[in-house]
Amino acid sequence: MREHTIPHGPGRSAHDVTGPAPGRPARSRHHTFVVVTTELLPGGLLTPISDDLGVTRSRVGLLVTVYAFTVGLTAAPLTHWTGGWPRKRLYMTVSAVFFLGAVLSAAAESYPILAIGRFL
C-alpha cells in the first residue's frame, strides 16, 4: 500500500501522519454511491419496471426485499470467509460480481432474470 503524508494539522509536521494513497477515498465514495443507488433505485421506478415487465408493482417491490435479504443473510458468512483475503483482491471480486448482477438486471427482459440479477 502506498502512503503519503498529510502536511497539515495542529502541532503536526508533514511526516507525523500517514494515510491511504490519493484516489482510494474517492473510489470508495463512488463505489458506495453506486451500490446504494442500485439498492434503492427500484423503489423509485416501480411503475415503469412493472409496466415494462408486465407484473404488479408489489411484485417489483419485492426486488428491494430480495436485495436486502441477500445482503442481510450473506454479510456475516462472507465477511468470515473472505477475512484473510488481500483487500484489493476482495474489492475486485466483489466489484466484478456486483457488476455482473447490474448488467444482468439491466438486460433482463423478464421478472425472473431481473430477480436473479438483483440476487447477485
Side-chain angles (χ1 to χ4, degrees):
M1 175 195 313
R2 294 182 312 161
E3 293 185 350
H4 73 285
T5 57
I6 301 172
H8 59 284
R12 296 182 174 171
S13 72
H15 300 287
D16 288 343
V17 182
T18 59
R24 280 197 186 146
R27 280 194 303 259
S28 181
R29 283 191 304 266
H30 293 128
H31 194 248
T32 300
F33 174 78
V34 169
V35 169
V36 171
T37 301
T38 302
E39 177 181 352
L40 300 175
L41 190 63
L45 298 174
L46 293 176
T47 301
I49 293 173
S50 67
D51 291 346
D52 197 39
L53 297 177
V55 296
T56 63
R57 282 184 281 171
S58 61
R59 194 158 177 213
V60 174
L62 286 174
L63 295 174
V64 177
T65 305
V66 167
Y67 188 91
F69 274 128
T70 301
V71 170
L73 294 174
T74 62
L78 286 175
T79 301
H80 177 73
W81 179 55
T82 60
W85 288 18
R87 286 187 203 177
K88 184 172 183 176
R89 176 180 166 202
L90 178 61
Y91 180 79
M92 296 305 288
T93 302
V94 169
S95 295
V97 171
F98 183 79
F99 178 75
L100 290 174
V103 169
L104 184 61
S105 294
E109 293 184 12
S110 67
Y111 184 82
I113 300 299
L114 182 57
I116 291 169
R118 294 286 296 169
F119 181 75
L120 284 179

